[in-house]
Amino acid sequence: MKCILALLLLISGVAYAQQQRFLTSLIQRMTLDEKIGQLNLLTSDMDVTGPFMKENYKQDILSGACGAIFNAYTPQYTRMLQDMAMKTRLKVPLLFGYDVIHGHKTIFPIPLGEACTWDLPLMEKTARIAAEEASADGLHWTYSPMVDIARDPRWGRVAEGVGEDTWLGEQIASVKVRGYQGNDLSATNTILACVKHFALYGAIEAGRDYNTVDMSRRQMYQFYLPPYKAAVKAGAATAMTAFNEVDGIPATGNHWLLTELLRKEWGFKGFVVTDYTSINEMIPHGIVKNEYEAAELALKAGVDMDMQGSVYATQLKKLVAEKKIPVKLIDDAVYRVLEAKYKLGLFQDPYRYCDTLRAARVIMQPEHLHVARETAQKSIVLLKNEGPVLPLKQSAKVALIGPLGDAQRDMIGNWSAAGDYKKSVTLLQGLKAAGVAVTYAQGAQVTSDAQLMGKLGLQTGDEDAMLKEALDAARGADVVVMALGESQGMSGEAASRSDIGIPASQKRLLEAVMQTGKPVVLTLFNGRPLTLEWENAHVPAILVTWFGGTQAGHAITDVLLGKFNPSGKLTMTFPRNVGQIPIYYNRKNTGRPMDANNKYTSKYLDVANDPLFPFGYGLSYTTFEYGPLQLSANTLAMNGALRATVTVTNTGGYDGYETVQLYLRDVTASVNRPLQELRGFKKIFLKKGEKQEVRFDITAADLRFYDRNMRYVAEPGEFRLQAGPNSRDVQEVKFELKP
Ligand code: BGC
């Protein structure tokens, strides 16, 4: 065994030395212009993901002034561009990147929805499939995972993240990196991951995209940085800077962030790319006067590659000539970029990802669609089911009403990469395919707000005629399935909303349909938590389906008909109204915890403190009963372990999944600690009548936090352990951590 290990170490040492020799000698042969070219990333015109395009990127490739391209894919197109790079003096291959966020062609649910599956192996699998398809389609690099913790659902980009919890965010960040990169980047079906947006982008003020962030170091270390760190630890090959400032300095020019923390403290070995033109944006940020200063600040801070801003391309040479920047800094950045290309095997064969046969074989193969359907099923969250209205009888006459009932484009959500919406399944198609007798009426526009309609490219329609058609359909049916919510363009980048309710046009439709007295199932399509107080008070059944991806319509149908028992649990709190925002489960107690009978305590005059649907919440068609939460002991030694057990029984009429959640509270500590923090979960499957003892092992390592002196330690004292089906309905036991 030891011999084999030694041999492996020797081989990897030799390979590393070989790589180093190759890259160093290549860099020695490069002119300064050629080096700077390697740091220049430009978008092709195949897709547009930012405010600014550059016409002549092909010219830049041909002249060696561009080392990487994004928004270009397909074996044919990337081959054509790679051919251009092969005409340059040193034939350094191009690197192709793209936002493969929740699938490449086979589209999975938006990340916020996928997180609600609480199924880590499945999340790794979807990343693996995304990498299989992207790599077969000419891509080397995805701008994912996005691991920004967010507590403000007004921000449209919560759709792209995994919600509000740090610990869960860490787990998901790791599996995503593993899924994309596998354990061998030189395999042709693996791609570079890019952890983003480093850092704190999810904490922008007022949920308004690109806005300011202001945060204490403690808050960063405790709640916002860990998922990025987890991605780095999992080996993320690249990292992307955020648009926002971090402690007064834009992330893209922040030496502390990119060099002290990322490289030195965390040991990040890959290369750092900016977000779209974010070097240039340091000028309006008010940090530098011009692009010359911006380039200097970014390079010195630790940025290796300039996305789309051409600031390095236009300024670095001058900065070197004027001795503002040592060439060594450029060489180091170039080394890191070339190293990524080397690891992918591009120097051996620049066309190794341009295989049309592989693309045809791999992309959207049945197994991928199968996983997409499973993921969409598991992402659906049942918020309410009075009656119960659900599941529907196969024989029921269904009226499907609402602008999202047959909206193919919306099913794949935003950031849907190369996803072909014409291949996505709508709810109407899903119901029909399952043999349900269904009539469809659109009923309303997604919104009738003229300004928003313009932005979403919607046409006006005859709302009264639509409403009449919908009411006729409702009256003729046994049950109404309403397909309402947001269209895909209402979340995602540059899609912040100040009102996160169902738009008025659809609300009017829902109210009118409710008056027909027919049982109604509200099927929501949404890229963020919505405010649903009225809906929750009036509609008997509510399902959150997010944007479920290519197979959305089949998956929702499976749930509606009870072929799949819903099991999703929210990973982001649903507030009662926007005035409660920011609202999140792992809050602190304050010095005046809410007391309904005491005026001078922390609360509102006009709304409760608690959310409408808490973190971790989600119902099933069956019921689960939790036995008492028990601890193996009521003290824990610093080097010891405790076992918590709880027996969960499926007491209802359906087989189903349950996600048993474990929360911790440090009652007294040297700094304020939250009332509860997720520290574990187990997703179990129980047949009806079946029970299972669920175990969690706890050690002092689980109790650590950043103490008064910012040391990551566990402090002796009283702790509470909570377990339950969501963050609200928990039982609690106490134990003590001994010094
Ligand atoms: C987004 C990034 C994305 C980049 C490239 C930016 O606008 O913030 O998340 O990776 O565009 O498309």
Side-chain angles (χ1 to χ4, degrees):
M1 191 62 198
K2 266 192 183 154
C3 281
I4 299 177
L5 213 64
L7 193 67
L8 284 176
L9 275 174
L10 187 70
I11 295 173
S12 74
V14 171
Y16 184 71
Q18 210 172 19
Q19 167 189 310
Q20 226 176 1
R21 265 200 311 279
F22 177 88
L23 296 176
T24 316
S25 123
L26 177 60
I27 292 171
Q28 274 164 4
R29 282 178 286 134
M30 290 172 101
T31 63
L32 183 57
D33 283 324
E34 284 166 338
K35 289 176 186 173
I36 294 170
Q38 288 306 307
L39 309 183
N40 190 24
L41 165 66
L42 295 175
T43 177
S44 100
D45 42 15
M46 210 168 167
D47 198 355
V48 178
T49 57
F52 167 82
M53 301 293 286
K54 193 165 183 288
E55 293 295 310
N56 48 354
Y57 67 94
K58 288 183 184 146
Q59 196 42 51
D60 288 332
I61 300 174
L62 283 165
S63 66
C66 166
I69 289 287
F70 67 120
N71 294 339
Y73 53 91
T74 75
Q76 297 84 350
Y77 195 61
T78 53
R79 178 178 288 274
M80 190 266 286
L81 297 177
Q82 197 65 289
D83 272 339
M84 295 181 178
M86 289 306 113
K87 295 200 175 89
T88 59
R89 190 178 74 94
L90 291 172
K91 300 186 178 21
V92 179
L94 285 172
L95 185 70
F96 292 105
Y98 196 35
D99 293 280
V100 179
I101 308 293
H102 50 115
H104 178 61
K105 286 260 185 193
T106 302
I107 302 298
F108 303 103
I110 54 166
L112 183 59
E114 191 186 72
C116 296
T117 67
W118 295 64
D119 189 332
L120 294 170
L122 187 61
M123 289 188 243
E124 179 166 344
K125 203 189 266 180
T126 61
R128 184 84 294 283
I129 291 173
E132 288 271 357
E133 293 195 354
S135 61
D137 216 15
L139 292 166
H140 311 135
W141 183 25
T142 175
Y143 302 141
S144 174
M146 185 278 217
V147 303
D148 305 324
I149 294 300
R151 295 170 167 181
D152 191 332
R154 291 172 297 183
W155 190 41
R157 299 197 80 168
V158 301
E160 266 178 80
V162 300
E164 70 194 37
D165 186 57
T166 309
W167 186 86
L168 188 61
E170 289 176 89
Q171 319 301 312
I172 298 176
S174 315
V175 298
K176 285 292 172 192
V177 171
R178 265 210 314 270
Y180 293 131
Q181 297 192 167
N183 44 25
D184 180 10
L185 277 178
S186 74
T188 48
N189 64 352
T190 53
I191 54 177
L192 309 172
C194 182
V195 55
K196 72 184 189 186
H197 305 83
F198 193 60
L200 320 182
Y201 189 21
I204 47 168
E205 285 178 0
R208 202 184 71 222
D209 216 352
Y210 317 120
N211 204 3
T212 302
V213 171
D214 192 6
M215 191 186 288
S216 69
R217 284 283 156 102
R218 178 176 307 287
Q219 185 83 345
M220 288 183 205
Y221 272 84
Q222 189 67 51
F223 298 107
Y224 284 82
L225 294 175
Y228 307 105
K229 188 177 178 186
V232 168
K233 201 165 156 217
T238 72
M240 186 187 292
T241 65
F243 287 124
N244 51 275
E245 66 181 64
V246 171
D247 201 6
I249 301 165
T252 306
N254 196 314
H255 185 269
W256 169 76
L257 186 73
L258 304 180
T259 298
E260 299 300 321
L261 182 72
L262 181 66
R263 287 206 185 279
K264 295 193 184 149
E265 205 174 308
W266 294 356
F268 175 68
K269 296 274 185 294
F271 74 82
V272 173
V273 64
T274 69
D275 203 345
Y276 209 108
T277 58
S278 61
I279 304 185
N280 320 54
E281 291 170 23
M282 291 200 285
I283 304 170
H285 265 297
I287 278 292
V288 289
K289 281 207 290 286
N290 49 35
E291 292 189 352
Y292 180 80
E293 286 184 7
E296 180 184 1
L297 186 64
L299 192 78
K300 286 184 172 164
V303 166
D304 300 311
M305 192 185 270
D306 172 4
M307 183 192 282
Q308 190 59 9
S310 298
V311 183
Y312 279 3
T314 57
Q315 309 297 326
L316 285 186
K317 202 170 176 187
K318 207 162 151 224
L319 281 160
V320 170
E322 289 169 5
K323 304 222 166 351
K324 287 279 174 54
I325 277 179
V327 179
K328 164 86 172 67
L329 262 192
I330 295 182
D331 286 353
D332 290 348
V334 173
Y335 188 96
R336 291 191 280 262
V337 170
L338 296 180
E339 188 178 31
K341 296 182 179 184
Y342 186 97
K343 285 186 175 158
L344 290 164
L346 295 178
F347 286 104
Q348 281 169 351
D349 177 6
Y351 302 105
R352 62 201 307 256
Y353 290 68
C354 310
D355 175 351
T356 41
L357 292 179
R358 182 159 82 96
R361 198 175 62 243
V362 164
I363 288 174
M364 292 194 95
Q365 56 170 279
E367 168 61 13
H368 296 181
L369 296 177
H370 176 80
V371 176
R373 184 164 175 165
E374 178 190 349
T375 316
Q377 289 169 337
K378 289 183 171 171
S379 73
I380 293 171
V381 184
L382 178 66
L383 295 181
K384 188 178 172 193
N385 190 16
E386 238 170 50
V389 178
L390 289 171
L392 303 179
K393 285 205 196 70
Q394 173 76 42
S395 58
K397 265 176 69 186
V398 174
L400 173 65
I401 296 175
L404 290 144
D406 195 24
Q408 264 192 315
R409 172 62 192 93
D410 292 303
M411 294 307 96
I412 58 174
N414 55 74
W415 286 118
S416 43
D420 177 357
Y421 72 84
K422 296 199 184 85
K423 296 204 172 114
S424 70
V425 181
T426 67
L427 181 50
L428 179 61
Q429 291 167 340
L431 287 166
K432 281 186 178 161
V436 174
V438 54
T439 42
Y440 173 64
Q442 182 181 330
Q445 300 278 29
V446 167
T447 171
S448 50
D449 172 328
Q451 235 190 348
L452 189 54
M453 286 181 84
K455 286 183 187 153
L456 298 171
L458 297 176
Q459 312 294 327
T460 39
D462 183 344
E463 295 268 337
D464 291 336
M466 279 197 248
L467 180 62
K468 183 175 176 312
E469 188 197 0
L471 292 177
D472 287 346
R475 287 191 195 104
D478 301 326
V479 58
V480 182
V481 174
M482 303 287 298
L484 307 182
E486 303 184 302
S487 72
Q488 59 84 26
M490 289 167 72
S491 62
E493 186 172 351
S496 297
R497 296 178 66 199
S498 67
D499 174 353
I500 57 168
I502 296 177
S505 55
Q506 299 182 61
K507 199 76 176 279
R508 180 175 89 120
L509 172 65
L510 177 61
E511 285 168 10
V513 170
M514 289 303 299
Q515 284 188 358
T516 63
K518 294 286 175 176
V520 169
V521 180
L522 174 56
T523 311
L524 290 167
F525 296 82
N526 46 323
R528 55 157 63 77
L530 301 174
T531 48
L532 300 166
E533 280 235 285
W534 187 91
E535 293 76 1
N536 185 48
H538 295 90
V539 186
I542 307 178
L543 277 176
V544 167
T545 75
W546 313 105
F547 297 110
T550 308
Q551 295 283 293
H554 288 318
I556 303 166
T557 302
D558 294 338
V559 167
L560 289 173
L561 295 178
K563 292 180 188 162
F564 185 84
N565 182 0
S567 59
K569 304 260 192 180
L570 301 176
T571 60
M572 199 169 176
T573 302
F574 275 44
R576 294 178 185 279
N577 65 29
V578 285
Q580 290 186 311
I581 298 169
I583 182 167
Y584 47 93
Y585 85 96
N586 49 345
R587 64 197 168 83
K588 295 173 183 174
N589 211 20
T590 83
R592 291 189 179 188
M594 200 212 57
D595 173 354
N597 300 319
N598 186 340
K599 176 176 176 185
Y600 296 101
T601 59
S602 181
K603 57 183 182 298
Y604 299 100
L605 286 177
D606 55 355
V607 66
N609 278 11
D610 66 332
L612 190 59
F613 299 109
F615 177 85
Y617 181 83
L619 302 173
S620 164
Y621 292 154
T622 192
T623 44
F624 295 103
E625 215 175 85
Y626 282 64
L629 173 62
Q630 283 168 328
L631 277 180
S632 56
N634 46 22
T635 58
L636 171 65
M638 277 293 174
N639 58 358
L642 260 187
R643 173 160 288 183
T645 47
V646 61
T647 298
V648 181
T649 312
N650 181 343
T651 49
Y654 298 83
D655 302 346
Y657 288 102
E658 170 67 331
T659 299
V660 183
Q661 299 159 38
L662 184 80
Y663 297 90
L664 260 166
R665 176 180 175 195
D666 191 342
V667 181
T668 313
S670 61
V671 299
N672 290 354
R673 302 292 298 126
L675 286 168
Q676 51 180 178
E677 281 178 300
L678 185 74
R679 272 296 172 274
F681 70 89
K682 294 264 159 73
K683 184 161 178 155
I684 57 173
F685 184 81
L686 293 179
K687 292 213 151 84
K688 50 185 173 193
E690 214 173 42
K691 63 174 157 200
Q692 188 176 322
E693 186 185 71
V694 178
R695 304 182 189 122
F696 296 99
D697 289 319
I698 296 124
T699 67
D702 298 307
L703 314 182
R704 286 176 298 178
F705 68 102
Y706 290 93
D707 76 354
R708 195 167 290 181
N709 301 310
M710 292 299 282
R711 288 171 314 193
Y712 193 57
V713 294
E715 288 178 355
E718 183 189 332
F719 285 82
R720 308 260 170 96
L721 198 71
Q722 307 163 347
N726 61 63
S727 61
R728 183 188 61 201
D729 303 314
V730 290
Q731 358 166 5
E732 193 175 75
V733 289
K734 292 180 189 173
F735 68 91
E736 198 186 327
L737 177 66
K738 292 282 187 195

